[in-house]
Amino acid sequence: ALVSAGISPIEALITHAATGQVPRETLQATRGYSDAEWGAGIAAAVTRGTVTTDGSFTATGSQQRQHIESITDVLGALPYQVLTDDEAESLRAIGRVVSARVVEAGLLPGRAERPAE
């Protein structure tokens, strides 16, 4: 959905930060973006009309984010519809183990804590 909307990876993170769900500092650090790169991403998103210079949503940006989230929810759910409840839980358990190992190995810059299990 992000690709079809022409949104770059850093702009996707900027709009994620604009939701208030995850602080900019966390997203920037865990993805390894410099302040200059983040600033260039903000400038691109401002030009697109999705955020203001302080990184908060414009009305257009908020609507676009909601639309993309709706599409992602639908498309993301499709592969799991063939799983039983037990198979889905098994897959989630495997994902939690993999996530914990990635964090423990230090593969996410700026992220030292373990994910919730």
Side-chain angles (χ1 to χ4, degrees):
L2 291 166
V3 171
S4 68
I7 297 174
S8 71
I10 196 164
E11 286 178 89
L13 293 175
I14 288 165
T15 62
H16 192 179
T19 67
Q21 296 170 336
V22 181
R24 166 209 168 152
E25 296 78 15
T26 300
L27 292 168
Q28 185 179 348
T30 59
R31 301 325 191 275
Y33 284 110
S34 69
D35 288 337
E37 291 169 318
W38 194 269
I42 290 281
V46 167
T47 298
R48 184 187 296 276
T50 55
V51 299
T52 64
T53 56
D54 69 0
S56 60
F57 273 131
T58 62
T60 298
S62 181
Q63 290 170 352
Q64 181 185 54
R65 176 74 186 198
Q66 289 172 359
H67 177 71
I68 288 169
E69 288 297 323
S70 295
I71 292 170
T72 302
D73 289 347
V74 170
L75 295 176
L78 292 174
Y80 299 96
Q81 292 176 353
V82 300
L83 300 178
T84 66
D85 288 346
D86 288 343
E87 290 168 335
E89 180 51 41
S90 179
L91 182 59
R92 283 191 292 277
I94 291 166
R96 286 190 293 272
V97 170
V98 171
S99 294
R101 289 192 178 147
V102 166
V103 171
E104 289 167 358
L107 298 175
L108 295 177
R111 175 92 190 252
E113 72 277 2
R114 284 183 61 142
E117 298 214 14

